Amino acid sequence: MSASLLTPERRAVLSRRSLWLAYATAGYNLLEGLVAIAAGAAASSTALIGFGLDSFVEVSSAAVLIWQFRSRVPEARERLALRLIGASFFALAAWVTFDAVRSLLAGGDADVSPVGIGLAVASLLVMPLLVAAKRRTGRELGSATVMADSTQTMLCTYLSGVLLVGLVLNATWGWSWADPIAALVIAGVAVKEGVEAWRGEHCDDCAPLPAVDATVESPGCADGCCTERKA
């Protein structure tokens, strides 16, 4: 169903679902970040510490969605929320790049971390479920911010995979450079997604604000992405 054809009741349901998905993301990533930083400090693993800090960036993205959808009119906050999520992409890219370069230059060997490996596996199981739920909700709602947040979560899924590969290679072969190299690629993707979020290019269809009555033309795209695309 097109977002423009949603009933007010269905739109309210999807808005509540977006809010609860944001709460779930924030809660999981807060726990993930604390565990990763503690395990990273114990194993002297810059990859794990960087992964933990990335989790807090994901919390900030979820917090933007919570701020937006706690409003009585979430559409009114769409454009600013999308810009804030774009900024979180840039923060993620900056930290991942810094941490990857530091790891390559330091060349230190981290200890084997069974806790870190288990955490990466858990994230690879949980994150794709959140991505799928957010994308279904975002597409039906026509929300650019929900779609952008799903991409943020997807990038964190990729980072989980990178972390797992890096930790396993380090544990089995001593290849400490594998993780930061792959992380630099993900940082480049994060910059690209940040630019698209900032410009409002994340929605598959735009959700016009409902007209007051049948004789009044819809005031335009609620997501702010239609205007950006036409610019």
Side-chain angles (χ1 to χ4, degrees):
M1 177 185 294
S2 172
S4 59
L5 300 179
L6 290 176
T7 64
E9 293 77 13
R10 182 59 179 168
R11 186 175 292 278
V13 168
L14 293 171
S15 293
R16 285 195 299 271
R17 184 184 301 170
S18 298
L19 182 60
W20 284 111
L21 285 171
Y23 278 128
T25 300
Y28 178 82
N29 278 278
L30 182 61
L31 177 62
E32 177 186 74
L34 293 173
V35 173
I37 289 177
S44 300
S45 170
T46 55
L48 265 172
I49 293 174
F51 182 75
L53 293 176
D54 161 71
S55 297
F56 295 136
V57 173
E58 174 70 6
V59 171
S60 72
S61 178
V64 171
L65 243 69
I66 292 170
W67 168 76
Q68 180 188 351
F69 283 95
R70 283 184 64 86
S71 170
R72 294 184 63 183
V73 186
E75 294 84 358
R77 295 181 173 181
E78 184 89 12
R79 187 184 296 268
L80 177 57
L82 198 57
R83 292 286 177 90
L84 292 173
I85 289 177
S88 75
F89 275 115
F90 297 140
L92 169 60
W95 170 254
V96 170
T97 300
F98 169 77
D99 187 62
V101 172
R102 184 180 63 175
S103 297
L104 287 170
L105 294 178
D109 294 330
D111 297 331
V112 176
S113 177
V115 173
I117 292 174
L119 179 64
V121 171
S123 294
L124 282 173
L125 295 174
V126 172
M127 290 297 182
L129 299 177
L130 287 172
V131 171
K134 289 178 181 181
R135 289 196 166 177
R136 284 196 303 269
T137 304
R139 286 193 180 105
E140 185 176 356
L141 187 59
S143 172
T145 48
V146 176
M147 294 299 293
D149 185 60
S150 75
T151 303
Q152 175 76 276
T153 305
M154 181 180 66
L155 286 177
C156 289
T157 305
Y158 293 159
L159 280 175
S160 300
V162 167
L163 176 69
L164 179 60
V165 170
L167 292 177
V168 170
L169 288 178
N170 183 55
T172 56
W173 298 96
W175 292 356
S176 58
W177 50 264
D179 174 77
I181 290 295
L184 286 173
V185 176
I186 291 178
V189 176
V191 170
K192 173 180 177 295
E193 296 296 338
V195 170
E196 291 181 357
W198 190 270
R199 292 176 177 174
E201 297 174 358
H202 270 280
C203 51
D204 291 335
D205 60 354
C206 296
L209 290 170
V212 176
D213 56 54
T215 63
V216 179
E217 185 180 356
S218 173
C221 177
D223 301 326
C225 57
C226 302
T227 303
E228 296 290 339
R229 284 177 177 175
K230 293 176 180 177

